[in-house]
């Protein structure tokens, strides 16, 4: 069970949240994209071994979406931050690999 | 009371049942150092990679092959799955490839000359609500059109087949019926991988363990070799068969695949007397259970919600699954959990595998089997071998191409079949 720091409600159990995969994927203009670019936007999300900036929604609390750094190898939790705000730096990557896989 | 006590004394059961498992020879395959060059390198020494190498050698006469494994042979998902085999999938594309696989299972022990305890004890898939019943029956008709054995059982018929199941209406997820595939079943998962390894090794395939692939030598968009922790190996063709690590390898080769890696957990009980002689699955309550040959109950849970490479998951996922299992099988409340573990599964957006060509010439991929790859091991290896030998997909894996995410021809087993595979 992860303990996840909701920026609005504080530290809560993982079971109060839903997962939203990679954070910071902007909505593109569908009229200007090729099929391949559209497929990439729809289907491809970062899947790194190490730190990942990802989206979570606190459905059992404030119901709001936020972003979180989390390590996919150690399950360490990094800083949480709000969408459309400046992304904090990734926590130290010691011993980790392939940041952007 | 005495009966119940007997069920829960594993010591004698273990000694008795261990006798039916034959001893292994001291060596099944040759341990080798990598040569400088091979015609084909398979990245990933799990069931699917080993099966690919075996069928390349057996069906296509190609034996100058290395299977390169980062850890030890069959130490990933091949050793972590719940060994369920069935082919009663909804869509024609899935039904065809899984049925091809099931047909191969039916003669695999003779083919490889190696016992795997393949046991066609049948697979029950429970329905718990009106809509569940409708979708399962739809599945049944689709199976009938594809010539796949599958039948509808009423709750009473389910009870007859599985006397320990609770078919009371007064539970959260009452049993409203089930589909039953009599040809489905289980096999001993590590023995399957060992059998393929032995047969491939006997045909001249080099199996190289403890060697991690760290990059690819790609020139003019054509693969020329793989960089490994033991140096560079030159090769004309590469097959990526690395399950949870597929997107890492694809990125090393310079392209992206629509895969998310998640933990999938399973657990076993101590050795018990035989109480369950078929496989019971329920997508709705996230439980699947069978009783292995030695007597342990093997149960699978759902995936954890988040991406991970840690080969472990949250206990609340196991707790959720056990709660459902106890409601279905009240007798299990007397058993203990011996061990839980996790594997990292590679999940595609449509929960179907990706088998075929990649943007890099002579580099092939076989990934995305997600939560249900074990049953596909023979079929997956068979079509991957065909694809790699000929440079074009077999008709069975043509629909599972990587470009389906751009063309929109998804094979949506996620929505159709529920989560459990």
């Amino acid at each position: 069970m992860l303990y996840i720091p909701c920026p609005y409600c504080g530290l809560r159990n993982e079971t109060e949240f839903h997962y939203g995969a990679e954070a910071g994927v902007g909505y593109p203009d569908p009229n200007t994209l090729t099929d391949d670019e559209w497929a990439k936007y729809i289907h491809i999300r970062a899947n790194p071994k190490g730190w990942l900036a990802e989206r979570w929604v606190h459905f059992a609390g404030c119901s709001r979406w936020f972003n979180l750094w989390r390590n996919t190898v150690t399950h360490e939790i990094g800083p949480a931050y709000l969408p459309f705000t400046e992304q904090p730096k990734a926590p130290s990557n010691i011993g980790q690999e392939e940041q952007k896989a | 009371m005495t009966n119940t006590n007997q069920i829960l004394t594993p010591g004698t059961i273990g000694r008795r049942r261990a006798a039916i498992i034959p001893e292994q020879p001291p060596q099944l395959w040759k341990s080798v150092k990598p040569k400088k060059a091979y015609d084909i390198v398979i990245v990933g020494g799990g069931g699917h990679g080993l099966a690919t190498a075996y069928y390349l050698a057996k069906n296509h006469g190609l034996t100058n092959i290395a299977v390169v494994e980062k850890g030890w042979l069959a130490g990933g998902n091949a050793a972590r799955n719940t060994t369920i085999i069935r082919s009663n999938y909804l869509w024609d594309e899935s039904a065809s490839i899984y049925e091809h696989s099931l047909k191969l299972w039916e003669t695999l022990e003779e083919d490889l000359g190696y016992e795997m305890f393949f046991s066609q004890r049948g697979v029950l898939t429970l329905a718990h609500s009106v809509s569940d019943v409708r979708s399962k029956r739809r599945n049944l008709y689709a199976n009938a059109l594809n010539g796949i054995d599958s039948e509808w059982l009423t709750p009473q018929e389910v009870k007859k087949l599985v006397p320990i199941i609770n078919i009371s209406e007064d539970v959260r997820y009452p049993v409203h019926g089930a589909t039953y595939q009599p040809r489905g079943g289980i096999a001993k998962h590590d023995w399957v991988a060992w059998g393929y390894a032995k047969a491939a090794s006997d045909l001249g395939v080099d199996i190289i363990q403890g060697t991690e692939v760290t990059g690819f030598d790609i020139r003019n968009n054509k693969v020329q070799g793989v960089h490994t922790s033991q140096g560079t190996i030159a090769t004309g063709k590469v097959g990526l068969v690395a399950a949870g690590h597929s997107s890492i390898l694809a990125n090393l080769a310079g392209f992206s695949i629509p895969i998310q890696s998640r933990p999938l957990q399973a657990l076993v009980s101590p050795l018990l007397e035989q109480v369950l002689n078929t496989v019971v699955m329920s997508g709705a309550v996230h439980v699947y259970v069978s009783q292995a040959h030695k007597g342990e109950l093997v149960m699978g849970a759902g995936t954890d919600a988040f991406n991970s490479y840690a080969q472990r998951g949250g206990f609340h996922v196991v707790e959720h699954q056990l709660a459902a299992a106890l409601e279905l099988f009240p007798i299990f409340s007397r058993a203990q959990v011996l061990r839980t573990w996790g594997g990292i599964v590679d999940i595609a957006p449509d929960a179907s595998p990706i088998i075929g060509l990649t943007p890099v010439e002579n580099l092939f991929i076989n990934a995305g089997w997600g939560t249900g790859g074990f049953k596909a091991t023979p079929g997956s290896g068979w079509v991957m071998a065909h694809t790699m030998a000929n440079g074009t997909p077999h008709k069975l894996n043509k629909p599972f191409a990587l470009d389906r995410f751009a063309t929109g021809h998804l094979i949506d087993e996620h929505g159709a079949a529920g989560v459990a595979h």
Side-chain angles (χ1 to χ4, degrees):
Chain A
M1 174 84 73
L2 304 177
Y3 292 112
I4 295 175
C6 170
Y8 301 100
C9 311
L11 208 56
R12 298 293 184 90
N13 282 346
E14 174 197 336
T15 44
E16 294 189 12
F17 299 84
H18 286 312
Y19 187 63
E22 181 186 8
V25 180
Y27 186 72
D29 176 2
N31 299 314
T32 62
L33 298 186
T34 64
D35 283 356
D36 281 341
E37 287 165 340
W38 181 244
K40 195 167 183 213
Y41 164 69
I42 294 286
H43 294 299
I44 294 189
R45 292 293 177 271
N47 189 25
K49 194 171 178 179
W51 288 99
L52 170 65
E54 58 193 16
R55 303 164 74 226
W56 289 86
V57 60
H58 191 192
F59 77 92
C62 59
S63 285
R64 285 193 273 192
W65 285 93
F66 61 93
N67 300 337
L68 177 76
W69 280 107
R70 188 183 57 88
N71 191 305
T72 62
V73 177
T74 61
H75 293 178
E76 263 175 287
I77 302 282
Y81 59 101
L82 302 185
F84 309 112
T85 62
E86 201 188 333
Q87 185 183 52
K89 279 207 173 72
S92 71
N93 234 5
I94 301 160
Q96 302 310 332
E97 44 186 294
E98 293 108 9
Q99 173 54 220
K100 198 69 192 166
Chain B
M1 276 313 286
T2 44
N3 194 26
T4 311
N5 286 336
Q6 270 173 12
I7 287 168
L8 293 177
T9 49
T12 50
I13 301 165
R15 280 192 293 279
R16 183 147 29 98
R17 289 189 181 275
I20 65 167
I21 309 285
E23 290 284 320
Q24 292 287 340
Q27 192 180 357
L28 284 168
W29 59 87
K30 289 184 283 293
S31 252
V32 294
K33 290 264 175 229
K35 291 192 287 193
K36 289 239 174 319
Y38 289 92
D39 293 341
I40 295 175
V41 170
I42 306 290
V43 184
H48 290 233
L50 293 164
T52 302
Y54 169 72
Y55 290 118
L56 276 166
K58 188 192 168 224
N59 295 354
H60 305 280
L62 301 166
T63 56
N64 188 20
I65 299 173
V67 177
V68 181
E69 165 59 42
K70 178 175 69 170
W72 62 93
L73 190 135
N77 294 349
R80 294 159 196 269
N81 63 78
T82 50
T83 82
I84 298 168
I85 297 164
R86 64 185 181 92
S87 67
N88 53 353
Y89 279 72
L90 176 65
W91 300 115
D92 294 349
E93 296 87 347
S94 320
S96 302
I97 197 166
Y98 286 109
E99 177 60 18
H100 177 62
S101 194
L102 180 49
K103 288 212 171 83
L104 290 172
W105 276 114
E106 286 174 327
T107 55
L108 194 57
E109 288 170 312
E110 290 81 1
D111 182 28
L112 298 180
Y114 188 79
E115 190 163 12
M116 296 169 173
F117 287 90
F118 175 59
S119 160
Q120 291 180 293
R121 56 184 60 191
V123 174
L124 269 176
T125 308
L126 303 178
H128 299 281
S129 65
V130 173
S131 68
D132 217 7
V133 168
R134 279 191 195 132
S135 74
K136 294 284 183 307
R137 293 190 76 106
R138 176 193 178 204
N139 207 322
L140 209 65
Y141 299 133
N143 290 157
L145 289 172
N146 280 317
I148 290 170
D149 62 317
S150 199
E151 53 199 82
W152 182 255
L153 300 190
T154 63
Q156 288 70 30
E157 287 166 330
V158 170
K159 180 80 180 168
K160 211 172 156 191
L161 200 62
V162 184
I164 60 169
I165 203 166
N166 177 12
I167 56 165
S168 154
E169 274 294 311
D170 304 326
V171 293
R172 175 66 185 85
Y173 295 102
V175 176
H176 282 181
T179 62
Y180 182 57
Q181 184 177 24
R183 285 164 63 240
I186 57 171
K188 219 164 146 43
H189 51 186
D190 37 8
W191 290 44
V192 172
W194 298 345
Y196 273 118
K198 178 184 182 298
S201 180
D202 288 348
L203 290 171
V205 171
D206 278 1
I207 294 166
I208 302 159
Q209 301 179 73
T211 303
E212 182 171 1
V213 169
T214 53
F216 299 92
D217 179 7
I218 296 167
R219 278 171 275 165
N220 299 324
N221 197 41
K222 202 168 177 179
V223 75
Q224 312 280 347
V226 292
H227 304 304
T228 78
S229 52
Q230 295 214 57
T232 297
I233 302 172
T235 185
K237 287 179 180 176
V238 175
L240 306 181
V241 195
H245 279 71
S246 295
S247 40
I248 307 277
L249 287 167
N251 277 50
L252 287 175
F255 62 95
S256 303
I257 52 172
I259 291 286
Q260 299 280 286
S261 299
R262 299 264 163 87
L264 178 67
Q265 296 185 83
L267 60 96
V268 287
S269 75
L271 308 182
L272 305 173
E273 279 294 356
Q274 204 70 33
V275 290
L276 186 62
N277 59 7
T278 188
V279 181
V280 182
M281 308 180 49
S282 166
V285 297
H286 287 276
V287 68
Y288 29 108
V289 57
S290 67
Q291 190 167 16
H293 296 84
K294 279 196 293 181
E296 64 268 45
L297 295 166
V298 182
M299 291 191 225
T303 53
D304 280 63
F306 49 78
N307 290 22
S308 171
Y309 289 87
Q311 292 188 315
R312 61 190 160 84
F315 193 72
H316 63 279
V317 177
V318 169
E319 193 181 12
H320 176 73
Q321 173 247 320
L322 277 177
L326 287 189
E327 195 179 66
L328 279 175
F329 304 102
I331 190 177
F332 288 0
S333 67
R334 309 293 295 272
Q336 294 133 349
V337 173
L338 179 69
R339 206 152 43 86
T340 74
W341 65 89
I344 300 305
V345 297
D346 42 336
I347 299 178
D350 56 357
S352 286
I354 299 166
I355 323 160
L357 315 187
T358 71
V360 179
E361 215 178 309
N362 289 341
L363 182 71
F364 303 87
I365 193 161
N366 185 350
W369 290 97
T371 58
F374 174 73
K375 69 176 80 66
T377 304
S380 160
W382 182 285
V383 299
M384 183 66 173
H386 178 102
T387 305
M388 292 188 71
N390 298 297
T392 51
H394 188 277
K395 67 176 190 309
L396 288 175
N397 66 308
K398 207 168 172 214
F400 294 96
L402 182 55
D403 68 8
R404 73 175 183 270
F405 299 98
T407 63
H409 292 101
L410 303 186
I411 302 160
D412 196 0
E413 286 293 339
H414 224 173
V419 180
H421 258 246

